Amino acid sequence: ATYEFCSMLEYYNLMQGVYGQTWVGDKDAFTCEEIAYGTVSLCSKTSDDSTPKLTTVVFPHKSTGLKLNEFTVEFEKGATGSVGWVEFNDNGADTATTHINLTRSYPNGVFLNIAERKAYGPKNNRSGADTILGENLRMNHTETATKLVCRRVGGTHKTQRKYSIELVDGTKIDATLIDPEPNYGNCVLPIIAFSGKVTVSGLRYAIGEL
């Protein structure tokens, strides 16, 4: 992927056709299906007791060099999980996410837990305690769908960026994370943990960083 090529694709609204959504994780735990141009449906498979299990997926960039600046996620009514941005080792399509547990803070991550109605920020470096950015958020996954937008914008330093999660009611959670250099080995990736069905759309790529 190059800046010139991707700029042309973006101008003609062809980015999603050439560089479609790629969410990786346990291939046996979920399905990923394009249901409209630029929109995919992620559905966790049922376990032996017919209960959907929690599935964690990430959007890798190693194979194309493309990072996401924005994406929209909608958990259908009854679906639950977490969504946001977390740093860990990026191995492209082989990314392992089984060690990610989005019920506590990570040193370099920000995410929202749907069932807990709670938003977590980067872990406190001194005490190791969780950083809670918001509690009792206005959502109820058992009664309505939960829709939110995740964004990544430039910061005051090339390795620091503002990452945010915004609900449709205007509630916004954000934190400044360290965005490691590409050759660092780790990177901050979009991450979704879900049980049930979610749709992902509205992708905006960081073509300016190519």
Side-chain angles (χ1 to χ4, degrees):
T2 65
Y3 173 78
E4 291 77 12
F5 182 58
C6 290
S7 295
M8 181 270 294
L9 292 178
E10 192 172 68
Y11 179 81
Y12 289 105
N13 191 29
L14 295 174
M15 278 294 287
Q16 294 298 312
V18 177
Y19 297 108
Q21 291 194 46
T22 304
W23 295 93
V24 299
D26 183 351
K27 296 179 181 178
D28 296 325
F30 76 103
T31 60
C32 180
E33 178 186 4
E34 185 176 32
I35 57 176
Y37 184 73
T39 301
V40 301
S41 170
L42 303 175
C43 186
S44 57
K45 296 181 179 179
T46 57
S47 58
D48 294 337
D49 61 359
S50 298
T51 301
K53 59 182 180 179
L54 194 67
T55 303
T56 303
V57 297
V58 297
F59 192 97
H61 74 277
K62 205 166 189 177
S63 59
T64 63
L66 286 166
K67 291 185 177 182
L68 288 186
N69 274 343
E70 183 177 312
F71 62 104
T72 299
V73 179
E74 182 170 350
F75 289 73
E76 72 171 14
K77 178 181 176 181
T80 188
S82 301
V83 61
W85 311 83
V86 174
E87 177 195 351
F88 57 99
N89 190 266
D90 173 30
N91 296 311
D94 297 321
T95 298
T97 58
T98 54
H99 65 289
I100 298 292
N101 178 20
L102 300 181
T103 58
R104 57 183 174 83
S105 290
Y106 280 83
N108 197 32
V110 56
F111 59 90
L112 186 151
N113 186 294
I114 303 297
E116 295 181 356
R117 299 164 55 212
K118 184 184 295 186
Y120 292 83
K123 181 183 295 185
N124 187 300
N125 289 330
R126 292 185 177 181
S127 67
D130 289 338
T131 299
I132 308 301
L133 299 178
E135 292 185 281
N136 300 317
L137 300 174
R138 289 178 289 179
M139 63 177 73
N140 188 336
H141 72 282
T142 64
E143 295 185 356
T144 61
T146 305
K147 188 174 183 178
L148 42 85
V149 180
C150 298
R151 293 188 176 94
R152 165 184 179 268
V153 297
T156 56
H157 189 273
K158 68 177 182 179
T159 59
Q160 291 184 348
R161 298 183 188 276
K162 186 75 75 174
Y163 291 80
S164 67
I165 305 165
E166 186 172 340
L167 298 173
V168 293
D169 68 359
T171 301
K172 184 177 181 179
I173 305 297
D174 60 31
T176 298
L177 305 181
I178 303 299
D179 196 7
E181 296 289 350
N183 59 358
Y184 180 74
N186 282 22
C187 58
V188 177
L189 294 177
I191 187 167
I192 305 172
F194 63 98
S195 175
K197 182 179 178 180
V198 301
T199 56
V200 190
S201 60
L203 271 67
R204 292 183 59 195
Y205 290 97
I207 63 175
E209 297 175 37
L210 292 173

